[in-house]
């Protein structure tokens, strides 16, 4: 078994964890709530649960040493999605419920304060 973390996963890990500010349990609960409370996990197409959000929940539960190149692809997709949304916020910002909810489906709550760096 190769204990090395794929280089792409290593690079994506930091950005992913900088932008995803919800825990796996918070995101899982949010996804289920957002899908009208359906108790279906992992995502089933008819439940409306975000497939990308489900992948984020799985990634948040992984250790860095268990990452794959496929995980790196998902992390980059999430980083791009969040950064694109943050670069073009609506005029009313985080108080725009639809915009906030779109970000929350991949684990970023724009209303959550950023952690202070010590």
């Amino acid at each position: 078994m190769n204990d090395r973390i794929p280089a792409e996963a290593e690079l994506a890990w930091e950005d992913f964890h900088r932008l995803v500010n919800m825990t796996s349990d918070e995101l899982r609960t949010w996804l289920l709530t957002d899908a009208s409370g359906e108790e279906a996990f992992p995502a089933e197409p008819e439940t409306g649960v975000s497939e990308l959000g489900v992948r984020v929940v799985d990634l948040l539960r992984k250790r860095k040493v268990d990452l794959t190149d496929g995980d790196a692809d998902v992390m980059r997709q999430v980083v791009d999605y969040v950064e694109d949304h943050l670069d073009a916020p609506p005029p009313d910002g985080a108080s725009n419920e639809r915009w906030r909810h779109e970000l929350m489906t991949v684990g970023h709550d724009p209303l959550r304060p950023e952690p202070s760096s010590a």
Side-chain angles (χ1 to χ4, degrees):
M1 169 103 184
N2 182 1
D3 287 338
R4 288 195 36 88
I5 300 166
E8 293 296 316
E10 182 79 41
L11 294 172
W13 178 264
E14 296 301 321
D15 284 337
F16 176 79
H17 283 281
R18 176 177 51 84
L19 291 171
V20 174
N21 61 7
M22 296 170 70
T23 67
S24 61
D25 288 340
E26 288 171 334
L27 179 54
R28 182 180 186 279
T29 300
W30 166 253
L31 292 172
L32 292 172
T33 301
D34 195 44
S36 303
E38 293 286 340
E39 290 298 323
F41 215 79
E44 301 290 332
E46 60 274 3
T47 65
V49 174
S50 163
E51 185 178 333
L52 184 57
V54 172
R55 296 286 310 272
V56 172
V57 170
D58 292 340
L59 283 169
L60 289 171
R61 292 180 174 169
K62 276 191 169 190
R63 298 177 312 158
K64 191 175 185 179
V65 296
D66 295 329
L67 295 175
T68 66
D69 286 327
D71 294 334
D73 292 339
V74 173
M75 287 188 288
R76 276 194 305 279
Q77 185 179 355
V78 169
V79 167
D80 289 346
Y81 183 86
V82 172
E83 286 180 340
D84 287 349
H85 273 66
L86 294 177
D87 285 346
D92 50 350
S95 64
N96 181 302
E97 196 170 286
R98 181 172 175 247
W99 181 77
R100 179 178 180 230
H101 289 182
E102 288 172 358
L103 283 164
M104 288 176 69
T105 63
V106 296
H108 179 82
D109 184 349
L111 293 181
R112 182 165 288 178
E114 290 189 33
S116 58
S117 53

